[in-house]
Amino acid sequence: MDEAATGDKVETIWEIGASEEEAEALARDLGVSSLLAGLLVARGYRDPAEAARFLEPRLSDLEDPFALTGLRQAAERLKEAIVRRQCTLVYGDYDVDGVSATALLVRAMRLLGAPVSAFIPERASEGYGLTRKGLERAFRLFRRERGRHDPDGKEKPELLIAVDCGTTSIDELAWLAAEGVDALVVDHHQPAGFWPQACAIVNPHRDGRGSRLASAGLVFKLLHGLLKLEPAYRERLVLREELDLVALGTIADVVPLTGDNRILVARGLEQLGRRRLPGLRALAGVSNVGEKPTVEDVAFRLAPRLNASGRLDDAMESLRLLLADSASEAERGALALHQKNRQRRLVEHEMLEEALQMVRKEPPARIGRAIVVGKRGWHAGVAGVVASRLLSRFHRLVAVVAFDESGNGKGSARGIPGMSIVEGLRASAAHLDKFGGHDLAAGFSLREANLAAFREELNRWAARNGAPELFCKRLQIVRLLPLSAASLPLYEELERLAPFGAGNTRPLFAFPTLCLEGPPVQAGRLTRMLLRSGDARCEAFSFDPPDGRVISGRFQVAGHLDWDTVGKRVRLRIVDWRPEPGGGGAGTIER
């Protein structure tokens, strides 16, 4: 049995980088410190011009949208719908990327005077993506809405645009074609072996171009292509003003913040700070987001609230908030999402505790390299959050399944770097009804009777394809620094690499020869402390401290510099710690 899979301890390896000669030359060319130049080199930016563009992300450096296969055809069909005022239905997904991408496309089409409606399926009753059940309800709502504006209006849309879904909906797109409804697919999920039939499919997996874009980024590209086809539309659609929605979806979907994504998020966060949309202004208010939003603000404050409606109920609530025109409507919607997020947290906590008990007490759920747990009565909308929590704790492939009273299960799965969870699900497809997603996150459905067989098959696949070192947590530490180096000048220099996120992580440093000045203060998941090394002192904090264990003696920490917005000073966020060799520490952090 794999020891790391039998408990909460997972080996954590500190990999401390060495200085590179290339960094010195780059530092001279750019006029930056050797530390910053070394970080650029480590990110693959050795050419001075490329490094300069990375440090100054500009919209003018975005790649040509028409480089994406199928985008020109999609933009042409979209333009036709606008010119001919064809009734269009945007069919989105219930996560933040799907909701924000849907809102972006709907807003753009309304600004251009096109008749457009939007629909997002219910997670519990209709499931992910294009389904016959979802499409039939969407068409009923479409008829009702169009009937209010035009009693002699269309029975169904002339164009349906599937956003953040549709790639695997072979039968549903064939049904739409038979019904005489043209379809466009704008999606970044992987295909199920072959591509569906549609007027145009914009998906980076067709040729690898733009493969890191979220669906919100792809909709932005589609609209950029539309403006290139018809420059006159620029008078009504100022695309840079819509970048707040693009940043929302891109950050929430945890795609790499490199290339075009870095540009879109950097400029999108600026736009988000302007509080242009009533819905985002109200949501920022209830989420305590400051005037200069960060990636963390989106990921941990805005996104969970926007996700809450789709997880527990109906994601149309979140879409209506993003499309709200009045402050009063937006404030009501933001408060409702805030309350739903509180409810989601309670459900998540209960599910996580039950899942942890299964992992610790039931050998079948914890043997090997994949944790698979399921139970009747669990909430399918929270399964993904619980899966992410288990992944963070155990660093294993994780699948969490919520079964209804009939034994039908809906699950969420998470992968680890180097092991695509979609490939694991594909290898286990004989036990699943349906699956789809990304390398690191996927959804699936199965019958309760197949849970044990699925667990065994996923573990066999992981054992065959996963080298042991993949299941160790690795911290990529830039270098050792004295505690006195944790200063405002260093923090400001490192911020030139922002926005940080997937693919562009915040630099991590090791600080040796430390001790505590006074006892740590714990409040829930948060622990605060004051670190000392010689005459240097620095406030520090960490989340999810190990139960019943405290740092003591002399020790080292791995952490990154953080800005205390209340105290207006630099502090350390501790990611891991270990005793100083011979320092008499109390042990290692729970991993």
Side-chain angles (χ1 to χ4, degrees), residues 63-72 207-210 221 228:
E63 295 183 9
D64 184 354
F66 291 138
L68 283 165
T69 298
L71 192 135
R72 182 179 293 275
D207 53 23
R209 294 192 182 98
K221 291 284 189 179
K228 294 188 76 169

Side-chain angles (χ1 to χ4, degrees), residues 480-486 510-512 533:
L480 289 168
L481 287 180
L483 189 63
S484 58
F511 297 88
S533 179

Side-chain angles (χ1 to χ4, degrees), residues 268-279:
L269 288 172
E270 292 177 357
Q271 186 64 21
L272 185 60
R274 296 185 180 101
R275 303 291 198 269
R276 173 188 61 111
L277 295 177

Side-chain angles (χ1 to χ4, degrees), residues 121-253:
E122 292 181 353
R123 183 191 297 259
S125 62
E126 292 159 340
Y128 166 76
L130 294 176
T131 63
R132 278 292 295 274
K133 190 174 183 180
L135 285 167
E136 288 168 358
R137 186 167 73 89
F139 283 9
R140 289 195 300 272
L141 293 174
F142 172 84
R143 287 193 293 270
R144 188 183 308 166
E145 180 179 342
R146 300 312 304 171
R148 286 198 297 267
H149 302 289
D150 180 8
D152 300 321
K154 302 286 185 182
E155 287 291 310
K156 51 182 176 286
E158 293 160 278
L159 175 65
L160 182 141
I161 307 177
V163 172
D164 202 34
C165 62
T167 296
T168 60
S169 303
I170 310 296
D171 295 338
E172 291 77 11
L173 286 167
W175 179 77
L176 285 173
E179 291 288 310
V181 178
D182 284 353
L184 302 178
V185 175
V186 184
D187 186 22
H188 67 142
H189 292 91
Q190 294 184 12
F194 52 93
W195 296 97
Q197 294 298 312
C199 291
I201 298 173
V202 180
N203 187 313
H205 293 289
R206 293 186 68 183
D207 53 23
R209 294 192 182 98
S211 59
R212 300 183 172 213
L213 290 167
S215 290
L218 290 174
V219 169
F220 177 90
K221 291 284 189 179
L222 174 61
L223 295 173
H224 188 189
L226 176 68
L227 295 183
K228 294 188 76 169
L229 288 179
E230 186 49 76
Y233 287 162
R234 296 176 188 269
E235 296 178 5
R236 286 176 284 171
L237 175 60
V238 182
L239 201 49
R240 70 169 64 89
E241 293 182 355
E242 308 296 326
L243 283 169
D244 42 11
L245 293 172
V246 181
L248 267 182
T250 301
I251 294 169
D253 232 43

